Amino acid sequence: MRRKLVAGNWKMNKNIDETAELVRSLAASVKDLPADADIVICPPFVSLVIAKPLLENTRIGLGAQNMSQQDDGAFTGETSARMLLSAGCTHVILGHSERRQFYGENDPLINKKVQKAIAAGLTPIVCVGETLQERESGITDRVITAQIKGVLAGISADDIGKVVIAYEPVWAIGTGKNATPQQANDVHRLIRKLLGQLYSWAAAEQLIILYGGSVNAQNAGTLFREPDIDGGLIGGASLKADGFTAIITAALEASKK
Ligand code: PGA
C-alpha cells in the first residue's frame, strides 16, 4: 500500500527568523504523531540551511521549491541539484503552476529538471494541472495527459518510481476553491492509468500522486480518503504549525482505511 505524503510549499514566505520559529513549532507539534505518513517542508532557498539542523531527529524532510536544469556554472540566480543536496534536501518541487505562469517554465524545461533531480538522487515533486478555462472547455484530460507525457519524457521504467506527481488544478491554487474529492480523484485516476500505459500497472500502482489547491484542515480528510489521492501539496495552510499538523493528522487517519 502507498504511504501518504504531506508536503508544505511555503512559496515566497517566511524570512530566516520566521522559518526557525515555524520549523520549531511544527517539529514540536508532530513529535508524537505516528510515523505512518511522510512529511516534507519546502521553505525558500535562503532558509534551507537554517531549517536543516532544526529538523534533525524529527520525521520532517526538507525540500526546495525549484531547481536549475543545469549543473554548477555561469547561471546567475540559479540553484543546482548539488547545492540542494548539500543543503540537506531530499525533495524538490518542479514545474509548479506559478513557475509556469510567471517564469515561463514549460514541459520540456521541467522535463530537464526532472531528469537532473533524479540523476542527483533528489525526489522530484512534479506539478501538473489545468486552468479554469481548460476545465470549462472540457479539455482537462487532454491537458493533463500532454503535461504528464511532456514532464516525464525519457524517464525510464527504473526511475519512474522515484517521481512524485502533484495534481494541482490552477483554478484551485490559493483561491479557496478546492476541487471536489471526486473531481480530484478522477484526474488522479487518469494519471495513474496513463502511467500504467506508459510504464506498467505495477509501477502506476506504486506512484505517489498528491493533490494540491486550497487543501486545509477541513477538507483534507475527504480528499485523502479518495483511493487515488496519496496526500497533498499544501501552500497557504502549511504556514501555520497547527493547521499543517491537522492536515498531517488527516493523512494519518486516511492511511488507516
Ligand atoms: P494552496 O497552494 O494550498 O495555497 O492553494 C498549493 C500549491 O500551490 O502548492
Side-chain angles (χ1 to χ4, degrees):
M1 197 179 134
R2 298 182 297 271
R3 270 172 80 80
K4 297 273 193 238
L5 167 65
V6 179
N9 174 11
W10 291 15
K11 309 193 179 185
M12 197 169 73
N13 292 293
K14 306 289 177 190
N15 67 14
I16 304 264
D17 290 344
E18 292 159 353
T19 296
E21 196 183 318
L22 178 53
V23 173
R24 280 199 190 95
S25 47
L26 186 62
S29 81
V30 303
K31 189 162 60 76
D32 298 322
L33 293 180
D36 301 329
D38 295 320
I39 311 165
V40 172
I41 56 167
C42 305
F45 287 128
V46 292
S47 292
L48 294 172
V49 169
I50 191 88
K52 183 60 189 168
L54 299 173
L55 295 173
E56 294 289 323
N57 303 317
T58 74
R59 296 186 26 253
I60 308 169
L62 188 64
Q65 299 173 19
N66 183 25
M67 191 195 80
S68 174
Q69 77 278 22
Q70 307 284 358
D71 292 323
D72 296 1
F75 301 102
T76 302
E78 291 291 287
T79 305
S80 69
R82 206 174 72 90
M83 293 169 190
L84 296 186
L85 285 170
S86 72
C89 291
T90 52
H91 290 66
V92 58
I93 299 169
L94 295 176
H96 190 278
S97 66
E98 287 149 17
R99 303 283 332 157
R100 293 173 185 259
Q101 191 181 345
F102 303 128
Y103 302 98
E105 295 202 9
N106 57 19
D107 292 332
L109 173 67
I110 297 159
N111 176 246
K112 287 191 188 132
K113 295 184 178 199
V114 173
Q115 308 228 22
K116 196 56 86 179
I118 292 173
L122 287 161
T123 300
I125 301 175
V126 193
C127 304
V128 296
E130 81 287 1
T131 63
L132 184 59
Q133 201 193 4
E134 288 163 342
R135 176 160 285 265
E136 286 177 346
S137 316
I139 57 168
T140 298
D141 290 11
R142 198 172 354 130
V143 169
I144 299 295
T145 300
Q147 287 180 349
I148 290 285
K149 285 186 174 165
V151 296
L152 297 181
I155 304 298
S156 71
D158 284 347
D159 284 339
I160 192 63
K162 300 170 184 164
V163 174
V164 171
I165 302 285
Y167 167 58
E168 299 204 306
V170 178
W171 49 271
I173 295 177
T175 58
K177 275 189 231 158
N178 63 293
T180 64
Q182 189 59 53
Q183 278 174 327
N185 196 69
D186 285 349
V187 178
H188 284 229
R189 191 82 203 141
L190 167 90
I191 295 171
R192 207 178 292 289
K193 275 196 181 150
L194 180 60
L195 268 289
Q197 286 159 15
L198 294 172
Y199 295 91
S200 66
W201 191 241
E205 277 287 292
Q206 296 295 317
L207 193 85
I208 305 288
I209 309 178
L210 307 181
Y211 169 77
S214 297
V215 178
N216 57 36
Q218 286 71 45
N219 61 27
T222 49
L223 286 160
F224 295 169
R225 276 195 294 276
E226 288 293 324
D228 285 294
I229 300 185
D230 305 315
L233 181 55
I234 320 297
S238 70
L239 295 172
K240 292 220 167 77
D242 52 354
F244 194 54
T245 304
I247 294 170
I248 296 162
T249 306
L252 288 165
E253 285 295 318
S255 317
K256 285 187 195 154
K257 70 172 168 52

